[in-house]
Each structure stands twice: as structure tokens, then as C-alpha cells.
Amino acid sequence: MHAYIAKQPILNSNRQIVAYELLYRDSLENTFPIINAEIATQRLVHEHLLNSNINKLVDNKPYFINFTEQSLLDGLPIELLNKPIIIEVLEDVPPTKAIFKALTKLKEHGFTIALDDFIYSEDWLPFFPIIDIIKFDITLTSFKDISVLKPLLDKHGINILVEKIETEMQFKQAKNLQSTYFQGFLFFEPEIVLNEINRQGIKEKQLISVI
């Protein structure tokens, strides 16, 4: 059995691939399909991460996975314990006490936590001690605004990932900010692949959930 998935490399300042972001797809159309984000997260985890040789797909490198509010509250990432994932908290997840508790528990289990498409709000400040990476979409947050936040992020040991880089000038600006990671069409577009998955493993998972 095969299922579609997309991967986009994440690079360091020397343009070396150090990780991938894995994205849910259900066809060769390279866009997020019309599907509930919660269902997409569940399928990505159960079809690809738990029932395929995902390490081969990502060249044995770490991989970023988007998680919704409900999947975090349900503790879905715990199923991926001991896998080299970076929990990417989607931008529409609110900074509630329940989310703080869920992320703290995941951090205690050793997970790396990233905030996706981050736009600063003081409500997120209490989260900073448990956050490892913040992703800035430069179509949403300017380099100037990132530079203003940089001392605060450095204080908490938070690494920056600049995404949506499309030009050499933007890459240079991101490096001047001492960003740790870089992502964008300048380097690679998301690549859709057909991943071989274990149908039997999925059936067993479904049976367990019914029981």
C-alpha cells in the first residue's frame, strides 16, 4: 500500500540539509488538501510515521511534524516517543493553560518543540522556557521585527528558523540575524513522494482503537 506525503528540506547556514518538514498530501497536487487539519495530522502519524520506513524517506534526519491543538491535548506525539521528530505547534493553536501543560509534558519526555509561523504575543512569553525553535514566515513577520525579538529569544536559548526564503538577499538577511535554520523555495520546494506503508499495521491500530 502506498500513500502520498510531501517533504521539504530545512538547511543550516552552509546550505546543508539538517532536517525535513513532512506535510500531508492525498494526491500529486502539491498543496494541502481540503481536509480537516486534525484528520490530516492523525493520518500523517498513523500511516507514515508509525507504519512505514520513514527514516529512509528523510535520509535518517530529524523531521518537523505539524500538530493541531486537539492532537496536542490528546497527547498524540507520545505515540512517536523515541522518534527524531520536532513537534511543530501550528500557528492557530492558542497559548492556553491546557496547551502549556501538554507541551510541558512533551518537553519532559524529551521532545523538541517548535512554534510555527510565530507572531509575537506576550501570551506566549511563559512558554519560552520550553520552546526550542521558533519559525518565522517572512511574509508575515519582517526581518526588522525578528531582530527586535532576537535578544529575548537568545535569553531563552531559542533557535530561529526563517521560512519562505525565495531570494539570495533574504537568505543573507536571515544569516545576518544569526538564524540557525533556513527553509524556502530558494533551496527546495516541497517534494511529493509515494511512501510505502504497512496496511496491516494500520488495521491493527484501528482494531485497538475500537476495542
Side-chain angles (χ1 to χ4, degrees), residues 40-203:
T41 299
Q42 291 277 350
R43 288 182 179 175
L44 187 65
V45 168
H46 292 141
E47 291 181 3
H48 295 280
L49 305 188
L50 295 177
N51 289 290
S52 79
N53 185 6
I54 198 68
N55 288 333
K56 181 180 179 181
L57 186 71
V58 296
D59 304 320
N60 293 308
K61 290 181 170 58
Y63 40 94
F64 286 65
I65 302 293
N66 294 324
F67 285 92
T68 62
E69 177 183 11
Q70 193 58 51
S71 65
L72 292 170
L73 295 177
D74 290 343
L76 180 62
I78 295 295
E79 297 188 39
L80 303 170
L81 196 62
N82 299 322
K83 290 184 178 293
I85 75 164
I86 293 89
I87 295 172
E88 192 168 331
V89 181
L90 284 170
E91 63 273 13
D92 59 356
V93 175
T96 62
K97 291 181 179 179
I99 287 295
F100 181 81
K101 182 178 179 180
L103 292 180
T104 299
K105 181 178 179 180
L106 293 170
K107 183 73 173 179
E108 290 171 350
H109 276 89
F111 286 101
T112 299
I113 299 174
L115 299 181
D116 186 31
D117 292 351
F118 184 72
I119 296 177
Y120 180 71
S121 163
E122 288 188 358
D123 293 336
W124 281 105
L125 194 54
F127 289 73
F128 278 15
I130 60 171
I131 300 302
D132 301 286
I133 301 167
I134 285 182
K135 297 183 71 173
F136 288 104
D137 179 338
I138 54 173
T139 67
L140 302 174
T141 304
S142 69
F143 285 111
K144 181 179 179 180
D145 289 339
I146 299 173
S147 67
V148 171
L149 286 173
K150 186 70 166 58
L152 179 60
L153 303 184
D154 287 344
K155 177 182 177 181
H156 291 279
I158 298 174
N159 291 314
I160 292 175
L161 189 160
V162 174
E163 60 178 337
K164 300 291 178 68
I165 296 175
E166 297 187 358
T167 68
E168 290 291 344
M169 178 59 72
Q170 290 171 337
F171 181 41
K172 181 178 180 180
Q173 288 175 287
K175 287 199 294 184
N176 287 341
L177 280 174
Q178 296 181 314
S179 177
T180 305
Y181 306 108
F182 309 82
Q183 186 178 8
F185 285 8
L186 173 65
F187 315 110
F188 297 94
E189 296 184 20
E191 175 191 3
I192 295 181
V193 297
L194 265 177
N195 188 30
E196 184 175 352
I197 61 178
N198 178 9
R199 181 191 293 269
Q200 184 61 36
I202 295 173
K203 286 183 177 180

Side-chain angles (χ1 to χ4, degrees), residues 23-26 29-38 40-41:
L23 304 162
Y24 179 78
R25 297 288 187 266
D26 63 1
E29 187 174 350
N30 204 355
T31 58
F32 187 79
I34 301 175
I35 186 176
N36 179 276
E38 180 64 28
T41 299

